[in-house]
Amino acid sequence: SSLASEGAHTQQRNCMSLDSVDMEDGVDQLLRIWVPGLGAILSIVLGLAPMGAVLQCRKNKSLGEMNPDVFPLLFGNSVGWLVYAICTRDVFLFASIFVNDMAAMFYVLTAYMLVESD
């Protein structure tokens, strides 16, 4: 049954014009690679947004005006999304969240070190 449906799909695809086949492949590539890839890049950019402020606080050896309470929440959120990415086997989500998880861990440890020194 599935063999017959695959054959019918192949015949139908052979009857299509070359332009429509190229268009389908382009849309498929867009939806499977480019859109998730762009989402991963944007996620990484957002996850690394606090890096400048954290590095400045680390350089100054003081938290200053920075509120470190959000960093454990950011780390916990990243761990949750990392588990989801593993369960769904989403490579793009895993790659972006893994980077964000490591950054969040850096933020937490830096803030902990600075709170201890203050």
Side-chain angles (χ1 to χ4, degrees), residues 28-99:
D28 187 55
Q29 184 180 13
L30 177 74
L31 294 176
R32 290 183 183 262
I33 297 171
W34 292 103
V35 171
L38 181 60
I41 291 168
L42 291 174
S43 175
I44 290 170
V45 167
L46 287 173
L48 295 177
M51 185 64 77
V54 171
L55 290 175
Q56 187 64 40
C57 289
R58 190 177 174 106
K59 181 180 175 184
N60 296 339
K61 297 185 184 229
S62 173
L63 285 173
E65 297 294 317
M66 187 173 68
N67 181 3
D69 294 340
V70 73
F71 297 140
L73 299 173
L74 182 63
F75 178 72
N77 184 45
S78 292
V79 168
W81 277 106
L82 196 61
V83 169
Y84 176 77
I86 291 168
C87 290
T88 59
R89 298 179 181 186
D90 188 332
V91 175
F92 292 101
L93 183 60
F94 178 83
S96 65
I97 295 300
F98 182 78
V99 171

